[in-house]
Amino acid sequence: MDPDTVAKAFVEHYYSTFDTNRAGLVGLYQDGSMLTFEGQKIQGAQNIAAKLTSLPFEQCKHSITTVDCQPSGPAGGMVVFVSGNLQLAGEQHPLKFSQVMFHLMPTQGSFFVFNDIFRLNYA
Amino acid sequence: MDPDTVAKAFVEHYYSTFDTNRAGLVGLYQDGSMLTFEGQKIQGAQNIAAKLTSLPFEQCKHSITTVDCQPSGPAGGMVVFVSGNLQLAGEQHPLKFSQVMFHLMPTQGSFFVFNDIFRLNYA
């Protein structure tokens, strides 16, 4: 399958999980996975899921604006850059232009998130 | 040296080169390097440098807002996420929140850019 199609499908699956079953994100990371969330560094699937499920909002809806993808080297991974909006329940305006950099690595016919860097853009 | 320090030094060197000697960027890429520039895919150091030197502005000044860095796996690379402003000569306001994802790979005691994804944020 075309890498762009794979990347887009992964990103859609990731945010669908985030918006409907956030604790399920733990299955998309592994022990060596890293998350840098607004400058805070977190390692390991359990710690990353604990961070993402403890964010100070319950309901949210991600809308993806752009997905860019490139193969990342001989190991079969790919780097993916995502921008979009994050709508929180009870907030009138979405948080604009959140950005995520994912480095996906292959695992048993699928991918897991090895690197994850998140930044909000305060316009 | 601390990876964050290496990443920050690389990013400062990259934008200093971009702002003062753009053609010199060719030395920071290799033949397998990839650039996705606002969705356009370009491969190879020569083609990437040709794209960056043909952008429709002569003078520019990058200001870095954030640099996030993580090791990218056993090959000794690192993923780097940069956000910042781009001031063009003759424009009153900077273009805000341009973002770049770099995947740096080691080469002879230094690094080159293997993956490069650029997006402007239109606020």
Side-chain angles (χ1 to χ4, degrees):
Chain A
M1 200 166 21
D2 169 43
D4 286 321
T5 307
V6 175
K8 192 150 180 287
F10 185 93
V11 167
E12 284 171 359
H13 174 60
Y14 183 94
Y15 287 113
S16 164
T17 304
F18 199 118
D19 293 348
T20 60
N21 170 30
R22 209 183 306 170
L25 291 173
V26 70
L28 300 181
Y29 296 90
Q30 292 191 359
D31 283 352
S33 297
M34 288 163 269
L35 166 66
T36 303
F37 188 90
E38 288 283 279
Q40 182 190 358
K41 296 182 183 191
I42 298 147
Q43 183 149 8
Q46 295 294 339
N47 294 333
I48 290 170
K51 172 68 181 179
L52 296 176
T53 53
S54 68
L55 294 174
F57 49 85
E58 298 267 323
Q59 296 283 319
C60 64
K61 177 85 180 73
H62 289 81
S63 312
I64 299 164
T65 308
T66 63
V67 177
D68 292 311
C69 161
Q70 293 174 355
S72 67
M78 54 184 164
V79 291
V80 183
F81 180 77
V82 183
S83 69
N85 296 335
L86 174 57
Q87 178 74 55
L88 304 183
E91 298 281 339
Q92 190 173 0
H93 300 292
L95 295 168
K96 286 200 178 178
F97 306 117
S98 52
Q99 297 94 32
V100 176
M101 192 290 305
F102 290 123
H103 184 201
L104 306 181
M105 294 294 277
T107 174
Q108 297 170 353
S110 183
F111 288 89
F112 73 97
V113 179
F114 185 70
N115 299 103
D116 182 349
I117 298 178
F118 176 87
R119 282 276 175 189
L120 274 179
N121 252 340
Y122 302 98
Chain B
M1 198 161 26
D2 169 43
D4 286 322
T5 307
V6 174
K8 193 153 180 286
F10 186 93
V11 167
E12 285 172 0
H13 174 59
Y14 183 94
Y15 287 112
S16 164
T17 304
F18 199 117
D19 293 346
T20 60
N21 170 31
R22 209 182 306 170
L25 291 173
V26 70
L28 300 181
Y29 296 89
Q30 291 192 0
D31 283 349
S33 298
M34 289 163 269
L35 166 66
T36 303
F37 188 91
E38 288 283 278
Q40 182 190 357
K41 297 182 181 192
I42 298 146
Q43 182 148 9
Q46 295 295 339
N47 293 334
I48 291 170
K51 171 68 183 179
L52 296 176
T53 53
S54 68
L55 294 174
F57 49 85
E58 297 266 323
Q59 296 282 318
C60 63
K61 176 86 179 70
H62 289 81
S63 312
I64 299 164
T65 308
T66 63
V67 178
D68 292 311
C69 161
Q70 294 174 354
S72 66
M78 54 185 164
V79 289
V80 183
F81 180 76
V82 183
S83 69
N85 296 334
L86 174 58
Q87 178 73 58
L88 304 185
E91 298 281 339
Q92 191 172 0
H93 299 291
L95 296 169
K96 285 201 177 179
F97 306 117
S98 51
Q99 297 94 34
V100 177
M101 191 291 303
F102 289 124
H103 185 200
L104 306 181
M105 294 294 278
T107 173
Q108 297 170 353
S110 184
F111 288 88
F112 74 97
V113 180
F114 185 69
N115 299 102
D116 182 349
I117 298 178
F118 176 88
R119 282 275 175 190
L120 273 179
N121 252 339
Y122 302 98

